Amino acid sequence: MLYLIKTIIQKFLEKEIDVGVTKRKLEKVLMHIIGMKNVKLYLNSEDIKLLDEETLNHLRYRGIEIIEDNNVHSGVIAETESGTINTSLNFQIKLINEIIDEVLNNE
């Protein structure tokens, strides 16, 4: 039953992703890192292609390093001076699985 629940949630999350997900996640991350120095953004190469050149140039102008990482799926990972922000699909699925396991173990 647990396997079924986790699989359904994972499939739901994957189906809810559209081409704008990465851009929306990036915009949210950028709101949190305004003014920070030494920021590295990790994005999947396919997701980088979804961002317009103006956005990429703006990020680079602000000194934000953009790194292609094909392990990041549908989201962005930001390394900042204050810590890491991870909005990738893989991380979200991992968190949901941990929450489900925690809830079931507490019952």
Side-chain angles (χ1 to χ4, degrees):
M1 182 72 158
L2 178 61
Y3 174 78
L4 180 63
I5 291 169
K6 289 180 178 181
T7 303
I8 289 170
I9 290 171
Q10 181 173 344
K11 295 296 180 188
F12 174 76
L13 288 174
E14 289 172 351
K15 293 216 181 292
E16 290 299 308
I17 293 174
D18 60 42
V19 294
V21 166
T22 299
K23 193 166 186 171
R24 289 191 302 273
K25 288 182 178 182
L26 179 60
E27 289 169 353
K28 285 184 179 182
V29 167
L30 292 177
M31 287 189 303
H32 293 287
I33 63 173
I34 291 175
M36 290 185 181
K37 305 267 189 235
N38 303 321
V39 176
K40 294 180 182 178
L41 294 180
Y42 296 86
L43 294 152
N44 185 289
S45 58
E46 292 300 312
D47 290 339
I48 289 174
K49 293 176 187 175
L50 298 174
L51 301 174
D52 58 78
E53 204 55 42
E54 182 180 339
T55 300
L56 292 172
N57 288 335
H58 177 71
L59 294 173
R60 290 182 183 116
Y61 175 78
R62 289 186 47 205
I64 296 173
E65 185 178 354
I66 300 168
I67 301 166
E68 283 188 33
D69 185 343
N70 288 327
N71 293 317
V72 179
H73 178 63
S74 297
V76 60
I77 298 174
E79 284 184 0
T80 73
E81 56 201 20
S82 300
T84 301
I85 301 169
N86 190 338
T87 68
S88 68
L89 177 62
N90 295 340
F91 186 70
Q92 290 173 325
I93 290 171
K94 179 183 172 205
L95 283 178
I96 288 171
N97 285 333
E98 288 175 3
I99 291 168
I100 291 170
D101 290 342
E102 183 180 319
V103 167
L104 292 177
N105 288 331
N106 285 333
E107 291 184 0

